[in-house]
Amino acid sequence: MTGVGAGPVLKVFAALVYAFLLSPVLIVIVISFSADSFIVFPPTGLSLQWYGRLFGHPALMAGLQFSLVIAVIVSVLSLALGVPAAYALAKGNFRGREALANLFLAPILLPTLVLGLALLLFFQPLRLTATIPGLVLGHLCVTLPFVVRMMTTAFATLPDEVEAAAATLGAPPWRVAQRVTLPLAMPGLLAAAALSFLLSFDETVISLFLSGPRASTLPVEMVRYVEGRTDPMIAALSVLLIAGTLVIVIAVEKLVGVTRAIGR
Amino acid sequence: MPSLSIQGLTKRYGATVAVDGLSLDVGAGEAVALLGPSGCGKTTTLRMVAGLIEPGDGSIRLDGVDITRQPAYRRGMGYVFQSYALFPHMSVSANVGFGLDERGVGRAERDQRVSQALDLVRLQGLGHRKPKELSGGQQQRVALARALVIKPAVLLLDESLSNLDSKLRDAMRQEIRDIQRALSITTLFVTHDQIEAFTMCDRIAVMEKGRIAQIGSARDIYDDPVSRFVAQFVGRANVLPLTRTGDGLSLAGAPVSVSSVPTGDVDLFIRPQLVKLLAPSEPASGLDRLTGKVTRVSFVGERVEVVVDTAAGRIIVEPPAGTTPPDEGADIGVGWRPADARAFRREDA
């Protein structure tokens, strides 16, 4: 954007689009501070009561905890599996590399509804539904393609000669990875970790298929909650989730910015 | 310092042969240049010596020990990349100390050797900087210090000066040559720049299509090229078509003599410095000569270039410094000693 071409019409249009995108969030924020027992806009009075009652709600709190556990495991596994795969795809030179790269990206193209149903049918006989391993595996189908894709790009932009230089200086391959490749790929790693965390935390459709009574993630608990009631508690929860997401995104932006600054 | 011996080294990429049965010995402490045009396989050869590319065939020996299949990190060779390939996330000191860390050198000794290496390349006091805060020439020195500090078995330089501007390149040429001599490091040096090869190395291997076309001292190669390719790639040469007469050769009707004439159609090669300018009718005993007209006289920095059009073609003459150049348009004679001329088979156009 140079500003030269951005005339008043475009500015108004941009403002309208932003208003359209952000107004639901604003309404949710206002409702979350409502003193009413039902969702009414504008609220007749303001209070923090729904935040207080939220923290006392056992199912939602259990869902939150469960979702956090799943998201952490999924992020760790996504990086552990996705980073080496991405490295091989970016730097390797072997038969079927193209095909493998496409295979890794295939789940992105599948609707999660189809994926969720397929996983349910596949996991049922294995007794993996409503278990942590089951949900983790389900979420990995969503996060891994993204991690592989992001890291393949990150590794592909690293100059080969820098790694070759480390090798000529006496570093065996794992030391090259530890001292050169991974530090240089750190911005990408942080971004990939944050993205897999958020994707897993946010994943609803697959979780709906794979959750059960004692293993149910926060989005699933939220769906169940609003099926039964419509009160501002869910708005309060949404505000907290938005805030949490924002913190992660800003933190990554800062960290990646800082890493870039000290990097190159 | 160990010696390096390459035997029958070959590398194919699909149908193309990058390096074709190359053999080369580099003596202990000797500096050898691989000189050739791009795509002649010189960098591939260097990378195979470093262990960065796996050879298809042949062997590489270091002091008689076969290292052909040894991974790069065990070879202990110092490699200076054309791009420098410094670690952007590390300080200059950390870059230089990298190889020492990998060798488990203790902190005190490491710091001392790093600072010695930085002294050697005249970068003292810049150890805390990041590579991107240095100029191209300084980055080049860091790369050199990083390769030297590990006391490499062989120093491998890959077009190491080609990213520098010409003034800096002159200075670095001298500097690297001095260091190489002072430490008497066995060095293999890849370049497409003959001045680099001439000034920095004891011997030069001219490469053509994955093979060594000729190996020898700069003088040998310049004065006595073994092939048309070498004669044309190294230095400049006037190329004039020869005609076979009954018992000899002629240039546009004028009989000339050349030693060792190949069969088939041949051209005469003569270096511009070896052509003498003569008065049009001046008798020239012992010289083969032509007459022509001066079409251009140009001052190319420190030397003068005289272009003479003759019946046999255009001849460029570089008269020795101090001679008064002829006027443009003047009739003139050119002559050369038959021993200075070479005949090579004509290439298919």
Side-chain angles (χ1 to χ4, degrees):
Chain A
M1 281 282 181
T2 55
V4 180
V9 179
L10 188 59
K11 279 181 186 160
V12 169
F13 183 69
L16 282 175
V17 170
Y18 274 115
F20 176 75
L21 290 175
L22 291 177
S23 55
V25 176
L26 283 176
I27 290 172
V28 166
I29 291 174
V30 173
I31 289 175
S32 77
F33 294 105
S34 166
D36 304 321
S37 312
F38 297 95
I39 290 182
V40 210
F41 190 82
T44 54
L46 296 178
S47 84
L48 286 174
Q49 62 159 326
W50 292 109
Y51 285 93
R53 286 167 73 169
L54 170 64
F55 289 113
H57 194 286
L60 287 177
M61 282 303 109
L64 175 65
Q65 201 190 348
F66 192 71
S67 271
L68 287 175
V69 169
I70 298 274
V72 168
I73 299 175
V74 167
S75 310
V76 170
L77 286 180
S78 298
L79 291 193
L81 298 172
V83 170
Y87 190 79
L89 290 176
K91 300 276 183 181
N93 187 18
F94 49 89
R95 282 167 69 97
R97 191 165 68 111
E98 268 318 279
L100 211 55
N102 290 330
L103 184 72
F104 270 114
L105 297 183
I108 293 182
L109 304 174
L110 273 186
T112 41
L113 197 66
V114 176
L115 204 57
L117 185 61
L119 286 169
L120 178 66
L121 294 174
F122 183 57
F123 282 172
Q124 196 97 63
L126 300 173
R127 294 169 187 269
L128 276 172
T129 51
T131 62
I132 290 183
L135 277 158
V136 166
L137 286 173
H139 286 190
L140 279 175
C141 293
V142 177
T143 58
L144 254 183
F146 279 101
V147 170
V148 169
R149 189 181 195 140
M150 284 175 81
M151 293 314 296
T152 306
T153 315
F155 286 135
T157 54
L158 287 188
D160 294 339
E161 294 205 332
V162 174
E163 290 173 283
T168 62
L169 291 168
W174 67 273
R175 291 282 291 169
V176 177
Q178 183 192 347
R179 293 191 71 189
V180 177
T181 314
L182 291 178
L184 287 178
M186 193 48 80
L189 285 172
L190 280 172
L195 184 75
S196 18
F197 184 89
L198 291 177
L199 279 175
S200 163
F201 195 81
D202 193 44
E203 177 49 52
T204 313
V205 179
I206 289 176
S207 301
L208 272 173
F209 278 101
L210 298 181
S211 288
R214 266 180 302 279
S216 135
T217 63
L218 187 59
V220 173
E221 284 302 331
M222 287 169 75
V223 169
R224 286 197 186 137
Y225 187 87
V226 292
E227 272 169 0
R229 265 168 297 185
T230 44
D231 63 34
M233 195 199 291
I234 220 72
L237 180 53
S238 301
V239 170
L240 291 181
L241 294 184
I242 291 167
T245 310
L246 217 54
V247 166
I248 291 177
V249 170
I250 292 171
V252 168
E253 176 62 35
K254 291 270 181 213
L255 279 172
V256 170
V258 169
T259 322
R260 285 245 164 87
I262 56 171
R264 302 189 181 202
Chain B
M1 278 299 154
S3 61
L4 180 71
S5 171
I6 301 169
Q7 286 298 322
L9 201 61
T10 300
K11 182 71 190 179
R12 287 185 188 81
Y13 292 105
T16 33
V17 185
V19 177
D20 189 5
L22 181 142
S23 298
L24 172 69
D25 283 307
V26 184
E30 189 188 24
V32 172
L34 293 175
L35 174 67
S38 55
C40 72
K42 55 192 193 301
T43 295
T44 308
T45 303
L46 198 72
R47 290 186 163 235
M48 285 193 278
V49 172
L52 298 175
I53 294 178
E54 199 175 340
D57 222 328
S59 72
I60 303 165
R61 287 166 194 277
L62 198 60
D63 263 350
V65 179
D66 191 326
I67 57 162
T68 317
R69 305 288 154 187
Q70 210 174 50
Y73 65 89
R74 292 228 183 85
R75 294 196 186 189
M77 300 213 178
Y79 198 110
V80 181
F81 291 83
Q82 182 173 11
S83 64
Y84 315 142
L86 299 178
F87 307 124
H89 58 302
M90 293 183 191
S91 69
V92 166
S93 294
N95 264 279
V96 176
F98 190 98
L100 298 177
D101 297 340
E102 292 306 318
R103 283 163 178 70
V105 173
R107 170 167 278 245
E109 189 195 339
R110 170 193 186 278
D111 290 350
Q112 194 210 344
R113 281 170 69 177
V114 166
S115 101
Q116 273 174 358
L118 288 177
D119 281 358
L120 187 68
V121 298
R122 300 194 285 112
L123 284 178
Q124 46 280 69
L126 295 182
H128 60 281
R129 298 256 188 108
K130 281 278 160 64
K132 64 163 185 189
E133 297 167 338
L134 301 181
S135 69
Q138 288 171 327
Q139 290 184 24
Q140 157 82 65
R141 287 156 202 263
V142 176
L144 187 64
R146 187 176 68 174
L148 288 173
V149 79
I150 60 172
K151 297 185 176 141
V154 180
L155 181 64
L156 306 170
L157 302 163
D158 181 10
E159 301 268 7
S160 299
L161 301 177
S162 57
N163 288 344
L164 302 177
D165 62 56
S166 71
K167 266 248 160 60
L168 200 53
R169 198 154 52 210
D170 285 347
M172 282 305 293
R173 267 206 291 272
Q174 207 48 56
E175 213 166 304
I176 294 178
R177 180 59 165 157
D178 288 348
I179 292 172
Q180 189 268 328
R181 278 214 174 119
L183 308 179
S184 81
I185 303 174
T186 312
T187 303
L188 193 56
F189 184 39
V190 156
T191 183
H192 65 270
D193 179 344
Q194 50 179 330
I195 301 176
E196 260 170 49
F198 278 29
T199 53
M200 296 177 68
C201 297
D202 302 308
R203 283 191 303 154
I204 294 163
V206 181
M207 283 187 70
E208 180 191 14
K209 293 178 187 155
R211 294 164 173 274
I212 291 180
Q214 184 173 5
I215 182 159
S217 71
R219 235 341 353 135
D220 289 348
I221 287 173
Y222 192 83
D223 290 348
D224 208 5
V226 297
S227 71
R228 183 186 184 100
F229 170 82
V230 175
Q232 277 190 315
F233 187 75
V234 179
R236 292 192 310 163
N238 293 296
V239 183
L240 304 166
L242 285 168
T243 326
R244 284 184 193 273
T245 54
D247 51 351
L249 295 159
S250 79
L251 258 181
V256 292
S257 51
V258 189
S259 57
S260 68
V261 181
T263 55
D265 289 342
V266 287
D267 290 326
L268 179 100
F269 277 68
I270 180 81
R271 300 281 185 205
Q273 303 84 355
L274 299 174
V275 184
K276 293 177 178 63
L277 294 170
L278 310 164
S281 55
E282 184 182 339
S285 60
L287 297 186
D288 283 334
R289 56 171 296 158
L290 288 167
T291 52
K293 202 182 261 297
V294 177
T295 53
R296 203 173 66 232
V297 177
S298 28
F299 294 87
V300 191
E302 59 273 20
R303 61 198 161 82
V304 178
E305 221 177 74
V306 179
V307 181
V308 180
D309 272 357
T310 69
R314 174 163 291 191
I315 298 183
I316 297 170
V317 185
E318 273 180 36
T323 39
T324 317
D327 295 327
E328 288 186 6
D331 288 325
I332 202 160
V334 288
W336 57 87
R337 296 191 306 134
D340 290 335
R342 297 285 177 278
F344 296 113
R345 193 192 289 261
R346 192 167 303 159
E347 273 177 351
D348 304 327

